[in-house]
Amino acid sequence: MWFDNVRIYHLLIDRFNGGWQKPPKSENVFCGGNLRGVIEKLDYIKDLGFTAIMLSPIFKSANYHGYHTLNFEDVDPHFGTWEDYQRLLDVAHGKGLRIICDFVPNHCWYQAPVFEESLLKNGGRHRDWFFFPKEDSDEFVSFLGFGDLPKFNLTNPDVAGFMIDKAEKLARMGVDAFRIDHALGQPHCFLKGLRDRLQEINSDIVVFGEVWAFGIGPQLAGQLYFKTDARLQEFLAQDTKPFSQDDLQADYTETLDGVLDFAYRDILLEEIHAGRGIKGNMALRSRIADHFAKYPEGFKLILFLDNHDTDRFMYDCRDDVNLLQEAMDLTMEQNRPFSFLYGTEQQMSNNPSIFNAEPYADLRVRNCMDWTL
């Protein structure tokens, strides 16, 4: 299948190419990258050896990264139009490049009309599309405590149908695969239904999830959907016993086509932080083999060294370019899907870590591309 050893170039539309000469400073604002800018650089991406592009979310959003959806009808005007998106799909396919869409069914921005109309002060229409703990209050459940992101109730068949319809439109346009943002926060039955519907449209479509428990405390367990009660109990006990990212990922083998392999990345980082390195590290190779053996053949583990929510790998290897290359070589040797974060070819790094609790610290790994290099 086309996805089995795909090479994915993962980019944030706003930070990739806005026609700038000098890249804008990375701030919590739109910097000007757009779909036409991506089209202009398709040959650049292909010449690097990639066979697919994973785009950040495209729906109209309150923020540059696209995860704060304002509506599910329009492309964000900062990025372009539906015509631009279709042209990107068509031109990319003409060059032999696949397009992967980042899809966000879990939550929306608090000023999204679909949420505002659910408030009692606005009539309370479709109130059961969200979670309101008190019948007489507009206080709502927000995504992992982010107070401006109301969480959708995907156990409601109307909400599930609404989201599947939006994904279906993208599939009919020609999107080749879907990354499901925060899949851990969505019911397994919804995810499987979404996958099944998309593959009725095109059997080659791949649906994989971001299944990551890092930084989520037991107090937020009520927002998560575990496959078994045993896994929930393990999550609740994480303060006394390590919670297994591997086991969590394996719970999705019948729900999705694959997951982003955070457990693989953890193995690499443990070796690097312990000073054992990568090249010639046979114990590392043994650990990786044991890790892969936990999953059935055909389940797609998307390997990656970093992404837009983690420290850059260059930070973790203390800007050692040789170590970065060794990690890339080892990863590509596995003959599995590999996702490469934009700017790694420019040796982008960050310092300090993005996990130091400062507001908008993730901007350190979301710099605009410098096209003068």
Side-chain angles (χ1 to χ4, degrees), residues 264 268 303 305 327-335 338:
Y264 172 81
L268 289 185
L303 310 184
L305 303 182
M328 290 176 57
D329 291 344
L330 176 65
T331 301
M332 288 189 286
E333 281 177 22
Q334 308 309 316
N335 288 320
F338 175 40

Side-chain angles (χ1 to χ4, degrees), residues 13-215:
I13 298 169
D14 182 68
R15 302 301 157 112
F16 187 60
N17 180 25
W20 49 68
Q21 294 300 312
K22 180 180 179 181
K25 184 179 179 182
S26 180
E27 296 180 318
N28 193 40
V29 296
F30 286 92
C31 288
N34 54 46
L35 292 168
R36 293 184 181 183
V38 177
I39 294 170
E40 290 173 3
K41 298 297 183 180
L42 290 177
D43 287 335
Y44 166 84
I45 295 170
K46 184 173 182 178
D47 289 346
L48 287 174
F50 294 97
T51 55
I53 301 169
M54 183 159 64
L55 301 168
S56 52
I58 62 159
F59 291 123
K60 187 174 181 181
S61 174
N63 214 325
Y64 72 92
H65 45 62
Y67 295 97
H68 294 174
T69 311
L70 274 166
N71 75 52
F72 293 85
E73 309 298 331
D74 304 318
V75 171
D76 192 285
H78 294 90
F79 304 153
T81 64
W82 282 118
E83 288 74 21
D84 293 325
Y85 192 61
Q86 186 65 68
R87 182 165 179 266
L88 170 60
L89 286 163
D90 293 343
V91 176
H93 288 161
K95 295 178 180 292
L97 294 167
R98 304 277 187 158
I99 297 295
I100 302 169
C101 170
D102 197 340
F103 191 62
V104 190
N106 180 74
H107 57 269
C108 65
W109 184 245
Y110 76 104
Q111 293 175 322
V114 68
F115 174 70
E116 287 191 322
E117 69 181 13
S118 74
L119 300 175
L120 291 174
K121 65 180 181 180
N122 295 329
R125 182 169 177 263
H126 295 325
R127 191 167 173 82
D128 59 352
W129 282 40
F130 299 91
F131 296 97
F132 294 94
K134 300 176 183 177
E135 291 184 4
D136 60 349
S137 171
D138 280 338
E139 179 183 349
F140 59 90
V141 173
S142 59
F143 162 53
L144 298 185
F146 294 97
D148 44 18
L149 298 175
K151 181 178 176 64
F152 279 108
N153 177 12
L154 288 163
T155 64
N156 182 330
D158 291 335
V159 183
F162 172 85
M163 289 299 176
I164 290 172
D165 285 346
K166 303 311 172 188
E168 181 179 335
K169 175 179 178 177
L170 299 173
R172 293 191 184 282
M173 291 181 72
V175 169
D176 298 286
F178 289 76
R179 170 199 184 269
I180 309 301
D181 184 64
H182 187 55
L184 181 57
Q186 298 157 48
H188 280 253
C189 59
F190 163 74
L191 294 169
K192 188 174 187 308
L194 172 64
R195 169 196 173 193
D196 290 348
R197 180 66 191 117
L198 293 174
Q199 291 176 350
E200 287 175 8
I201 296 170
N202 179 355
S203 60
D204 279 343
I205 285 177
V206 174
V207 182
F208 63 93
E210 179 202 32
V211 178
W212 193 29
F214 176 80

